[in-house]
Amino acid sequence: MALVNEHFLKLPGSYLFSDIAKRVNTFKITHPKQDIIRLGIGDVTRPLAPACVEAMHKAVEEMAHAETFRGYGPEQGYDFLIEAVIKNDYVPRGIHLANSEVFINDGAKSDTGNIGDILRHDNSVGVTDPIYPVYIDSNVMCGRAGVLEEATGRWSNVTYMPCTSENNFIPAIPDKRIDIVYLCYPNNPTGTTLTKAELKKWVDYALANDTLILFDAAYEAYIQETDVPHSIYEIKGAKKCAIEFRSFSKTAGFTGIRCGYTVVPKELTAATLEGDRIPLNRLWNRRQSTKFNGTSYITQRAAEAIYTPEGKKQIQATIQYYMDNARIMKEGLESTGLKVYGGVNAPYLWVKTPNGTSSWKFFDQLLYEANVVGTPGIGFGPSGEGYIRLTAFGERHDCIEAMRRIKQWI
């Protein structure tokens, strides 16, 4: 008989956002006349940039003619997009990459979850806490996370590095060696960042301890402050210890289009049990060639248009729209006396619940008394307890109305 992967059975009953959806649906059934404002899930609301739409129309037209039709594309991505990525996202920051070091994907979530395919199941793992759930869950699925300790909400083989208001959301460098460390900056869910000097400490730690950093930079386009690095490769030596993940989902509204990319430098290696050093670029290329058929040509042409002069202006206008939402929300929440973090270099606001209220209780209060949906902080890890995440990706009028309701409620 076929046997299941029993590691999947260790996972909590459902994904965080599925739990939220169930609670919201229950509310809608019992309060059918109430208008809900959703500021929980980080999905975008602004339409695609006209430059991207035009590029997609042109690509579709190409597919309608035999002489310009495209079938299977390269699993690694088309050179036209890879070259645009390198020229626009890295070269201006003094970072030089070869085409073969950039892998186009269908969004950062896929690659951050799948990168573990090329790493042994018994590597030790370290995460900042709170954290994007996919990092933990994907390690649970392959047996790398150990066993869930019910009393603490922590996995036995995972080292948690708390990020709270008490330490200004700056994770402490571990006092022991860890094989794999996940970093996400600007951070989801807290919206906080690391300065270049703080990120350098992590690169130095990784180089000294032969640690692999998995660096999720999905929100780098929202960075406003000059001392916050957009790429980990701005730090000397990072190519020897880090893989970087990027996404067009929030940068250019591609949540429904699906496109991003992963950078795996050729000088990055990991060891076998015998001590041989193996280039991870080679392994990831093999993995993608086997399990991934590539992102569609039409989608990649749309992504390429992001880097045109018109595309850059249009994308920047959308990013500014969301960041203006974040400012409006931050000011509104703070006027009620709530403690609010983030919202400066990222479209996320991390709100401290008042009077020691638990995350889920505050979620329910916000839903039932203000008809606003957030995301309970505990869903992102033990250190998220006592917080709730709100996103600035909504329509402007919804963000303004949500703040009015919260002010009236608080």
Side-chain angles (χ1 to χ4, degrees), residues 15-17 20 38-46 109 132-133 187-189 218-219 222 247-256 258 322 329 346-349 373-376 380 389-395:
Y15 188 48
L16 168 63
F17 295 106
I20 292 173
R38 300 173 185 268
L39 301 178
I41 296 176
D43 198 1
V44 296
T45 55
R46 305 305 295 162
K109 181 178 182 179
Y132 182 46
N187 185 259
N188 177 16
Y219 301 94
Y222 289 87
S247 173
F248 297 124
S249 287
K250 310 301 168 56
T251 302
F254 273 40
T255 52
R258 308 308 306 152
Y322 292 135
M329 292 170 64
Y348 291 120
L349 297 101
V373 179
T375 305
F380 296 101
R389 189 193 75 174
L390 298 177
T391 81
F393 288 117
E395 294 285 355

Side-chain angles (χ1 to χ4, degrees), residues 152-339:
T152 64
R154 297 168 181 248
W155 293 87
S156 59
N157 292 346
V158 176
T159 297
Y160 291 79
M161 295 165 283
C163 297
T164 63
S165 58
E166 286 73 23
N167 63 5
N168 294 316
F169 299 95
I170 300 174
I173 300 294
D175 57 5
K176 62 180 180 180
R177 187 187 169 280
I178 300 173
D179 296 315
I180 304 167
V181 168
Y182 287 82
L183 296 177
C184 173
Y185 289 100
N187 185 259
N188 177 16
T190 68
T192 57
T193 56
L194 293 182
T195 64
K196 196 166 187 176
E198 288 159 352
L199 185 56
K200 183 179 184 301
K201 294 177 183 177
W202 282 98
V203 172
D204 291 344
Y205 166 83
L207 293 172
N209 291 276
D210 200 9
T211 296
L212 173 63
I213 295 176
L214 301 179
F215 191 77
D216 187 346
Y219 301 94
E220 64 80 28
Y222 289 87
I223 293 172
Q224 309 292 308
E225 297 177 321
T226 57
D227 64 340
V228 177
H230 290 249
S231 168
I232 195 170
Y233 302 126
E234 293 179 45
I235 311 299
K236 185 177 180 180
K239 285 186 181 181
K240 295 180 180 180
C241 64
I243 293 174
E244 182 164 284
F245 305 90
R246 295 279 191 102
S247 173
F248 297 124
S249 287
K250 310 301 168 56
T251 302
F254 273 40
T255 52
I257 304 299
R258 308 308 306 152
C259 194
Y261 62 87
T262 296
V263 178
V264 187
K266 288 189 175 180
E267 56 200 274
L268 176 65
T269 65
T272 64
L273 289 178
E274 292 74 28
D276 296 327
R277 304 299 302 194
I278 308 299
L280 291 184
N281 180 283
R282 188 179 81 200
L283 295 188
W284 185 244
N285 185 56
R286 185 68 173 85
R287 188 269 175 203
Q288 292 297 81
S289 297
T290 301
K291 290 189 172 184
F292 184 56
N293 254 352
T295 305
S296 78
Y297 171 73
I298 296 168
T299 296
Q300 291 190 62
R301 281 299 187 192
E304 179 192 27
I306 293 169
Y307 298 108
T308 63
E310 299 80 8
K312 288 179 180 180
K313 291 178 183 178
Q314 294 161 5
I315 296 301
Q316 191 53 48
T318 298
I319 289 172
Q320 189 59 53
Y321 179 93
Y322 292 135
M323 291 310 295
D324 285 343
N325 282 353
R327 176 185 52 78
I328 291 168
M329 292 170 64
K330 188 177 180 71
E331 292 173 354
L333 293 166
E334 288 177 339
S335 72
T336 68
L338 290 170
K339 288 283 188 180

Side-chain angles (χ1 to χ4, degrees), residues 45-70:
T45 55
R46 305 305 295 162
L48 287 176
C52 297
V53 174
E54 182 180 349
M56 292 182 79
H57 280 303
K58 183 177 178 181
V60 169
E61 186 61 30
E62 289 179 39
M63 300 296 269
H65 304 280
E67 59 272 18
T68 52
F69 174 80
R70 305 260 184 161

